[in-house]
Amino acid sequence: MNEYIALLVLLLTTTKGVQNDGPADFELYREDVYYFCYYVMKNQADAEDLCQEVFVKSDHG
């Protein structure tokens, strides 16, 4: 699971550049990140957890 988190964090941080817009980034990317997480995890609760971890790490990474 960590490899998926790392991949999504890398994609989010490189697409948004240097500026961190926090909630705006979440609203912009949440559906795409969630759908990918659901595709990987095949479970709603696990996908939500993974999605949350991705956004937390992208904000603080």
Side-chain angles (χ1 to χ4, degrees):
M1 183 160 75
N2 286 334
E3 62 273 2
Y4 296 120
I5 294 170
L7 174 64
L8 288 168
V9 168
L10 177 65
L11 289 171
L12 283 175
T13 55
T14 56
T15 56
K16 69 183 179 185
V18 176
Q19 185 178 3
N20 182 357
D21 292 333
D25 288 338
F26 176 76
E27 288 302 318
L28 183 61
Y29 297 113
R30 71 181 172 90
E31 283 186 13
D32 293 330
V33 171
Y34 174 77
Y35 290 140
F36 178 78
C37 292
Y38 187 82
Y39 175 78
V40 169
M41 303 305 291
K42 308 284 193 254
N43 177 295
Q44 181 181 355
D46 290 341
E48 290 170 355
D49 290 344
L50 181 59
C51 188
Q52 178 179 352
E53 194 166 343
V54 165
F55 281 104
V56 167
K57 289 190 183 220
S58 70
D59 279 346
H60 301 293

